[in-house]
Amino acid sequence: MRGKFAFLLCLTSFVAFVSTSVSAAAGADLVINDVTVIPMDKESADEHQVVTIHDGLIVSIAKHSASQPGSNALVIDGQGKFLTPGLVDAHAHIIPLRDKLKSQDSRYSALKSEAQTSHPYDSAMLFPYLREGVTTVFHLGGGGSDVLELRDLIQRGIILGPRLVVGKLIDGPPEAVVISMHKAPPPSSIEHPETARDGREAVKLAVAAHYDFIKSYQHLNQETYDAIETAAHAAHLITVGHLPELGCSNCVSPEHPFLVPMDDIAHAEELGRYAMQDDLDPSRLSVLTDWVLRSHSMLTPTLVSTRSILYMYVHRHVPPLPEEVLLTVDPITLNAWLPEHTRYLSEDFRTQPGIDRYPAGFDFDRVLTRQLFRSATPLLIGADAPTIPGIAYGYSVHQEMLEINSLGLTPYQVLRAATVTPHELLGEGDRAGLIKVGQRADLVLLNANPLDDIRNARDITGVIVGGRWLSARRLREQTKENAAYFGRLERKAGLMADRARYLKDSRSGSL
Ligand SMILES: [Zn+2]
């Protein structure tokens, strides 16, 4: 989710769901036979391997001829196929239906019946992730605490979905940035801390509520920002976020956030914003690179989201999306993507001061991302779905992988950013992100080698999530069922025309 002034950025029923996934009988093994394994701890593949999965973990990897699967094992033929770790979306916003209903227009009250404990809407909404081979998703805030319940139900295998890693967003009062020149900022609170004490208290509450990490946002003053970073790290939580805003009386110096660093910077645009102060002077590239290197922060560039905003700014219509992907987008998200609901197509957005430098800012972000990667800053793949029109759950991970590929990273380097690195950020690299004995069985079976061409990461013939096997046919059938389910809800809520309107607008106009 982007700040207001970040112009450089900022089913069916649950029963049906379970029945369409196939898992090995309780206690039995799942075996991928004679497959080419891409373990991701080296830039090469191991042919003719037998990978055995038990209770959601990889328990053995052996040469094909040496292994005989047990008789009650579910055996998948991996001949001619490629096995990779599941992909990770390191920047998304997961707003469950119950939260969506709180803040949306009255038409959505027709969808209230879907806000059940079995989360039919939410599991259909998240299914595109599995369809696209994404088995772990970072939630970067927004909505309430319902996402924690969803995370736990998925973790316990009650709802089928990607593993959710849930961040608690902590931000000061956004309006303080604007009014502090003229008025005293509003009083500090734990919801919007402006003192170190309230910042620490906000972290304490997040820890007690079992959030997985802290997302610090950009309207924090120096003492509060420092207190949040320090308290989170003391509680062994990582921090991901926006850099503190520049330019108000109580804000940090530009270097400061790199001296008390967060673990991952949520957009390359955050760095670009700092360079805007100097009118994108290319000499700022080396200064910013030095600051980031000194901080040892990782970076989730989210370039595809910046590109989509730029697209809307230039073309004045919503970005195109393949129709088969558009059909997987839930009705409320789709409605928010319509041109009249998108601030990126609004007059306000188009006329804000400095907006004419937006395209140059995107170029700067790309060069800076490449420079940082060459200087050994680890990159992650994230797309900020679904806060920007056309940035759909799952599909956008592949779009961002292509963006990063286009900066000159090899397919292996891109794949690392989508598999190994996010788990290293979470401090769980020994348990997830690789194909090795003892690792989580979140895997993708592909028809073609992604080390040859990163586009092959979308040529999916099956997905394993938490040890559960979903064949291509099952993925297709569930996708079809979900589209029918969304269609029924759209009729119920009077949103039938939205999908056609999005398609029409995305195809409209020319330069
Ligand atoms: Zn975001």
Side-chain angles (χ1 to χ4, degrees):
M1 220 168 267
R2 307 295 172 84
K4 188 175 172 202
F5 289 90
F7 57 80
L8 256 191
L9 286 209
C10 126
L11 160 96
T12 89
S13 72
F14 155 65
V15 176
F17 236 131
V18 171
S19 70
T20 53
S21 70
V22 176
S23 52
D29 291 341
L30 171 63
V31 175
I32 317 291
N33 214 18
D34 196 10
V35 69
T36 298
V37 169
I38 301 174
M40 289 310 295
D41 57 355
K42 56 179 181 179
E43 192 165 358
S44 60
D46 300 323
E47 294 179 339
H48 306 297
Q49 301 293 304
V50 180
V51 178
T52 306
I53 292 155
H54 188 85
D55 274 350
L57 293 177
I58 299 170
V59 293
S60 93
I61 303 172
K63 196 77 183 152
H64 179 46
S65 57
S67 171
Q68 283 299 326
S71 57
N72 67 339
L74 174 65
V75 182
I76 312 296
D77 181 12
Q79 219 178 17
K81 305 203 186 304
F82 300 82
L83 193 67
T84 69
L87 304 176
V88 180
D89 185 347
H91 190 141
H93 299 273
I94 309 297
I95 315 297
L97 179 63
R98 249 181 270 160
D99 284 332
K100 287 188 197 295
L101 292 176
K102 276 178 209 156
S103 57
Q104 298 284 349
D105 76 42
S106 58
R107 285 177 302 170
Y108 299 148
S109 58
L111 306 179
K112 264 189 189 150
S113 58
E114 304 310 304
Q116 305 158 15
T117 47
S118 59
H119 294 261
Y121 187 99
D122 300 327
S123 32
M125 173 180 90
L126 293 176
F127 193 76
Y129 273 123
L130 298 182
R131 175 184 189 249
E132 301 283 355
V134 180
T135 53
T136 300
V137 179
F138 287 34
H139 166 64
L140 275 275
S145 58
D146 227 34
V147 66
L148 292 168
E149 181 188 298
L150 195 56
R151 174 197 65 185
D152 295 346
L153 289 168
I154 291 170
Q155 200 179 333
R156 286 160 53 203
I158 294 170
I159 290 176
L160 183 64
R163 172 189 172 204
L164 300 181
V165 181
V166 178
K168 173 64 182 169
L169 190 150
I170 303 178
D171 194 16
E175 64 271 32
V177 175
V178 183
I179 65 175
S180 60
M181 312 281 203
H182 312 290
K183 282 196 231 168
S188 179
S189 65
I190 297 170
E191 286 70 42
H192 294 295
E194 288 175 276
T195 63
R197 204 170 134 233
D198 283 344
R200 277 193 294 271
E201 207 52 40
V203 172
K204 217 168 126 186
L205 287 179
V207 172
H210 303 291
Y211 281 89
D212 298 305
F213 66 95
I214 298 295
K215 157 100 177 266
S216 50
Y217 207 60
Q218 68 206 58
H219 310 108
L220 293 165
N221 62 31
Q222 181 168 324
E223 66 161 301
T224 315
Y225 171 81
D226 290 359
I228 289 168
E229 297 300 318
T230 309
H233 290 144
H236 306 290
L237 290 189
I238 60 154
T239 58
V240 180
H242 288 207
L243 294 168
E245 196 80 54
L246 293 167
C248 66
S249 56
N250 66 352
C251 273
V252 293
S253 67
E255 295 92 335
H256 187 80
F258 304 94
L259 302 172
V260 188
M262 52 184 80
D263 300 286
D264 178 46
I265 299 167
H267 306 284
E269 188 185 48
E270 287 301 296
L271 296 161
R273 181 155 51 83
Y274 276 43
M276 272 297 178
Q277 300 290 306
D278 306 299
D279 204 18
L280 298 168
D281 182 339
S283 69
R284 297 308 286 172
L285 281 167
S286 56
V287 174
L288 284 161
T289 304
D290 286 347
W291 287 352
V292 176
L293 288 179
R294 212 184 307 142
S295 76
H296 299 289
S297 288
M298 296 185 181
L299 174 65
T300 308
T302 68
L303 293 175
V304 70
S305 61
T306 320
R307 186 185 289 285
S308 294
I309 294 170
L310 180 58
Y311 181 94
M312 286 183 272
Y313 177 67
V314 172
H315 296 268
R316 302 198 185 200
H317 58 82
V318 293
L321 195 64
E323 205 169 343
E324 46 112 11
V325 176
L326 193 70
L327 285 171
T328 70
V329 177
D330 71 279
I332 296 181
T333 296
L334 191 70
N335 188 258
W337 284 2
L338 293 178
E340 66 270 29
H341 297 156
T342 298
R343 75 178 179 89
Y344 301 111
L345 288 169
S346 69
E347 202 53 27
D348 277 2
F349 183 81
R350 301 191 61 78
T351 54
Q352 64 185 303
I355 189 68
D356 52 337
R357 287 179 298 171
Y358 196 91
F362 182 55
D363 293 341
F364 188 94
D365 297 347
R366 293 186 77 235
V367 175
L368 180 62
T369 300
R370 176 175 159 80
Q371 179 67 24
L372 282 167
F373 181 77
R374 286 165 64 107
S375 313
T377 294
L379 301 184
L380 289 82
I381 299 295
D384 214 359
T387 59
I388 295 146
I391 302 292
Y393 288 154
Y395 181 70
S396 61
V397 169
H398 295 275
Q399 289 177 293
E400 180 68 5
M401 290 202 294
L402 283 174
E403 286 286 344
I404 299 301
N405 191 204
S406 79
L407 299 179
L409 276 74
T410 65
Y412 174 71
Q413 289 167 334
V414 175
L415 215 48
R416 271 191 76 87
T419 56
V420 178
T421 314
H423 296 292
E424 285 178 347
L425 171 67
L426 293 170
E428 58 176 31
D430 56 339
R431 281 164 283 147
L434 297 167
I435 302 187
K436 273 177 103 170
V437 170
Q439 293 256 324
R440 260 180 80 95
D442 287 341
L443 303 163
V444 187
L445 192 60
L446 299 169
N447 289 313
N449 190 345
L451 299 182
D452 294 340
D453 184 336
I454 197 63
R455 285 171 180 82
N456 292 340
R458 226 191 144 225
D459 192 354
I460 294 169
T461 188
V463 173
I464 297 167
V465 59
R468 186 183 287 186
W469 167 247
L470 301 164
S471 68
R473 190 169 66 87
R474 296 292 180 190
L475 293 168
R476 254 193 331 269
E477 282 173 0
Q478 190 64 59
T479 298
K480 224 171 131 186
E481 275 188 50
N482 291 349
Y485 169 68
F486 286 153
R488 287 196 299 278
L489 296 185
E490 282 162 2
R491 282 193 291 281
K492 223 166 136 184
L495 302 166
M496 296 87 74
D498 288 0
R499 242 162 264 272
R501 282 185 55 216
Y502 186 94
L503 269 181
K504 191 172 169 224
D505 190 72
S506 68
R507 289 165 180 168
S508 74
S510 58
L511 281 177

